[in-house]
Structures are given as C-alpha cells and as structure tokens.
Amino acid sequence: MVRIATVIGARPQFIKAAPVSRALAGVADEILIHTGQHYDPGMSDVFFEEMHIPVPTYNLGIGSWTQGHQTGEMLKGIESILLSDEPDIVLVYGDTNSTLAGALAAAKLHLPVAHVEAGLRSFDKSMPEEINRILTDHVSTHLFCPTKTAAANLASETIMQGVHVTGDVMADALAMHAPVAARSSEKLASLGLVPGAYTLCTVHRQSNTDDQKHLAAIVSALGDVGDVVMPLHPRTRRALVQAGLYEQAAQAMTLIEPVGYLDMLALEQNARLILTDSGGVQKEAYLLGVPCVTLRENTEWTETVDDGWNVLVGADRDAICSAAASFRPKGPRSDVFGDGKASERIASILADKV
Ligand code: UD1
Ligand code: UDP
C-alpha cells in the first residue's frame, strides 16, 4: 500500500482532512502529522473527536510564533519525521503555514507533494495565505483542484501536469455532517436563538484583526446590524483586547467561544445571514443557501460572488451595514463545488501511486 504522510495543523485542515482520511483508510497507510499550529481544545481536539479523525501519529506542538519562526520550526520537525518514516507521498491541505512547511520539507527531500485545494488565488500577495498557496502549488506533483476556476489559475501559471479537478472536500465534509448537525446540535437552544432571526459572524483574517481601523469599523458596523452571534477566533479575541475594543464588541453582539464543526454547521444552517472573512465559511454559506457578506476586498471563492450569493464589502462600516440590511441572493446555486465525492476521487488517484 502507498505510504502517505499527511501534514495538518489548523482548524480548517482538520475539517478538510476528515473525509479524505476516511477515504484513504484501507487503500493507503497514512501517517498523520499535526504541527500544533492550532492547539486550544476548541480549535483542534473537538474536530478530531466529532469527525472521527484518527489520533495524529505525531504532534509537533509548534504553537504560535511569527510567520517565519512558526514555518521554520515546522519545517525542521516535519523533515525529521519524513527522513525517519520514508513515506511515498506527502499530503497537504489549503494555504496555512502548516501547508507550506509540509510541502517545502517534502519537496527538498524529493518526495512527491499532493496538494488538496490547489489553484486557489485571491491575487493579493499581502495575504500570508496567497504566498503559501503559490509556493505550495509550484512544488506539488499532484494538484487536486476543487473547481475548474482553480485549474485555470494553475494553467495560467503554466502548471498543467498532475492537475485533477476533483470537487471540494469541504463539500464532502458538509454533506456528511450537516444532517447530524441539524439533528444533534443544541447550540441554538442554549443561546436562545430563533432560526432565521440572527446573523452569524466570523472574523480572523490578518487584514481585519491586525488593522485597528478595520477592526473598529467592523465592531461598530456589527453593533448596527444588531442581531449578531460571533464565535470568537483566539486571534480576534486578542486583537480586540489589545485595541481596547473588547467591551464594545461584547455589548454590540453575542460573543461566544469557537464552536465545534457540528455546532458551527447548525449555526450556519439557521442564520438569516452570514458575515465573514473566512474562506471556508463563505463556501459553506453557499452550499447551505445562506446569503453571505464577505468582510474582505477579494475572495478566492469567486464562484460564490459570480452566482450572486456572496458580496464583498471589505471593512467599510457603511458598506457592511448596507449589505447586511439589503443584500439578497440573485440566482440559483450550482454544483460548482462538486458532488460530495471529491475525497473518494483523491484517495483513488493516490492509492495508485506506490
Ligand atoms: C491560520 C492560517 C489562516 C487560517 C486560520 C484558520 C496561516 C498564515 N494562517 O490563521 O490561513 O484561515 O489559521 O483558523 O497559517 N491562537 C490561540 N490558540 C490556538 C491557535 C491560535 O490562542 O489554538 C492565537 C495565538 O495568539 C496566535 C493567533 O491565534 O498567535 C494566530 O494563530 P495562527 O495559527 O498563527 O494564525 P491564524 O490567524 O489562526
Ligand atoms: N468553524 C468551526 N467553528 C468556528 C468557526 C469556524 O467549526 O467557531 C469551521 C467552519 O465551519 C469551516 C472552517 O472552520 O468549516 C473554516 O475555518 P476558518 O474560518 O478558521 O479558516 P479559513 O477557512 O478562513 O481558512
């Protein structure tokens, strides 16, 4: 059987890896390397438990550092495991520092890199994620694209070999877990929320948290929107405290701890509107048919905007308030993110690569 070393470390990567690891079981021998980029139980353990992801073979426990320090520590730790365990392929997801470290460690050892969520581009190199995406794609052998747009982005950078349009593994995860979430989550009841009568908001993008003007404008706008529930990313909690905005935010909306995937799906499914700067949450809003207002100037998930279900407003106070009050989706949604079987396709392609 093919030996695959999977590198994950941040919340969205646990969610993406869950259906792929399930599909790989039986056709591949998988070594799971958790970098420790996310480490709070609510940012890590809860996803392994709820989504039945195997316990990582290794946890590097790297934790929070500056961009270069964090990526460098990961690179060292991953390289030493790859040298001792000698996998056939290294599998990475998305666009975090864990993705880049896994890809770089593998490529330097001449190991083939498989990248799930290849070809995404925001065309904004001020985002650390954009750097991670471009570099990872350029050292990858197997590039699994969620959409045709992603494959076209790769083609325009002359990457044509090893490209597969598989569909999006987050659509697989959602299809698998949304019915369970609808049945079992008690989050709405525990928060006293009425379905269709609240706005769900998430914020964690560096461009919003690390710019006090942006953060203040968002908090002020959310106060005007008025019915907002926000599971608070630890980065954003820290930024609000440092900017002296935490009390204002706590009065303007219902701030809660980060939630597990099932509670998050339940909160998304029942929201009247989603406000977010998250990549994954924009996509989930589209898949669940909830209108989305994105607190960014650009998005790599352009189909959600082109189809009329997502609007980009940046961190502009008036634009946020106006979109929250009046944005209505315009057209039908399509199956642009696949049929819920992306993970099976990825597993069957990788299973052949011994
Ligand atoms: C990272 C990814 C981002 C992704 C996000 C998903 C990079 C460059 N960024 O951003 O692409 O969208 O994860 O959520 O890889 N912290 C804790 N506890 C934790 C984790 C983080 O308190 O378990 C705090 C620390 O103060 C840390 C800060 O959050 O400094 C940021 O964490 P980090 O992993 O560096 O970046 P994210 O903003 O989470
Ligand atoms: N998510 C979650 N709990 C939360 C916030 C988000 O389970 O409190 C899930 C969300 O449903 C999506 C993923 O985390 O599946 C998105 O991750 P995040 O927003 O952290 O990162 P991004 O997608 O922007 O990289």
Side-chain angles (χ1 to χ4, degrees):
M1 267 200 292
V2 63
R3 242 166 109 66
I4 297 178
T6 296
V7 179
I8 51 180
R11 173 168 68 188
Q13 293 169 327
F14 310 138
I15 293 162
K16 291 165 198 175
V20 181
S21 281
R22 189 175 295 200
L24 284 173
V27 298
D29 184 9
E30 190 179 27
I31 306 156
L32 213 51
I33 306 172
H34 187 325
T35 62
Q37 178 169 351
H38 286 175
Y39 45 87
D40 289 345
M43 296 293 288
S44 176
D45 295 355
V46 65
F47 301 99
F48 286 80
E49 286 153 19
E50 283 186 346
M51 303 182 83
H52 307 291
I53 307 169
V55 175
T57 325
Y58 299 96
N59 190 325
L60 298 174
I62 304 291
S64 305
W65 299 96
T66 55
Q67 296 284 326
H69 187 145
Q70 187 182 55
T71 312
E73 290 295 322
M74 289 175 187
L75 193 53
K76 281 200 288 191
I78 296 165
E79 181 183 63
S80 116
I81 295 170
L82 299 184
L83 284 169
S84 64
D85 285 33
E86 299 182 340
D88 300 307
I89 295 174
V90 176
L91 175 60
V92 298
Y93 293 86
D95 55 18
T96 74
N97 290 345
S98 299
T99 315
L100 177 62
L104 210 48
K108 295 270 186 160
L109 294 173
H110 308 295
L111 289 169
V113 176
H115 185 203
V116 173
E117 225 176 68
L120 273 291
R121 296 291 182 267
S122 64
F123 303 99
D124 174 2
K125 283 196 186 144
S126 71
M127 296 176 73
E129 293 85 359
E130 186 75 353
I131 312 276
N132 293 341
R133 290 178 196 123
I134 293 171
L135 296 178
T136 299
D137 284 337
H138 281 260
V139 296
S140 290
T141 304
H142 310 291
L143 299 105
F144 299 118
C145 296
T147 61
K148 287 183 188 152
T149 312
N153 288 337
L154 292 177
S156 74
E157 293 172 23
T158 70
I159 302 176
M160 258 95 90
Q161 269 199 344
V163 175
H164 306 269
V165 178
T166 56
D168 194 309
V169 298
M170 286 189 83
D172 301 11
L174 185 142
M176 207 178 289
H177 293 88
V180 187
R183 274 199 310 276
S184 67
S185 173
E186 290 171 2
K187 204 67 192 172
L188 269 80
S190 75
L191 292 170
L193 296 173
V194 176
Y198 64 92
T199 297
L200 178 68
C201 180
T202 78
V203 173
H204 73 277
R205 204 54 65 199
Q206 182 179 297
S207 60
N208 287 329
T209 59
D210 295 13
D211 180 322
Q212 291 205 4
K213 271 207 275 190
H214 284 183
L215 197 58
I218 290 171
V219 170
S220 166
L222 296 181
D224 267 24
V225 174
D227 58 0
V228 175
V229 178
M230 170 150 23
L232 200 53
H233 191 290
R235 174 190 203 106
T236 315
R237 175 180 294 277
R238 199 188 54 180
L240 286 170
V241 171
Q242 277 174 357
L245 289 166
Y246 185 83
E247 287 311 318
Q248 187 190 338
Q251 277 170 18
M253 65 198 110
T254 306
L255 294 178
I256 59 175
E257 289 298 312
V259 294
Y261 184 56
L262 297 176
D263 284 342
M264 186 64 182
L265 288 178
L267 287 170
E268 288 174 342
Q269 275 167 338
N270 291 293
R272 76 168 180 89
L273 176 73
I274 292 178
L275 298 177
T276 192
D277 61 10
S278 156
V281 175
Q282 287 174 64
K283 233 175 349 182
E284 287 165 350
Y286 181 90
L287 292 165
L288 293 167
V290 180
C292 185
V293 172
T294 294
L295 310 173
R296 287 175 49 188
E297 302 286 349
N298 51 51
T299 181
E300 43 295 336
W301 301 107
T302 50
E303 297 86 353
T304 60
V305 175
D306 295 343
D307 286 357
W309 281 78
N310 186 7
V311 62
L312 304 176
V313 295
D316 182 286
R317 188 188 179 287
D318 294 343
I320 298 169
C321 293
S322 147
S326 61
F327 176 62
R328 302 281 177 274
K330 285 174 200 70
R333 289 171 296 130
S334 70
D335 60 356
V336 64
F337 296 116
D339 57 2
K341 294 192 165 62
S343 311
E344 288 170 29
R345 280 184 203 106
I346 291 167
S348 82
I349 293 167
L350 291 178
D352 275 349
K353 310 286 177 200
V354 193

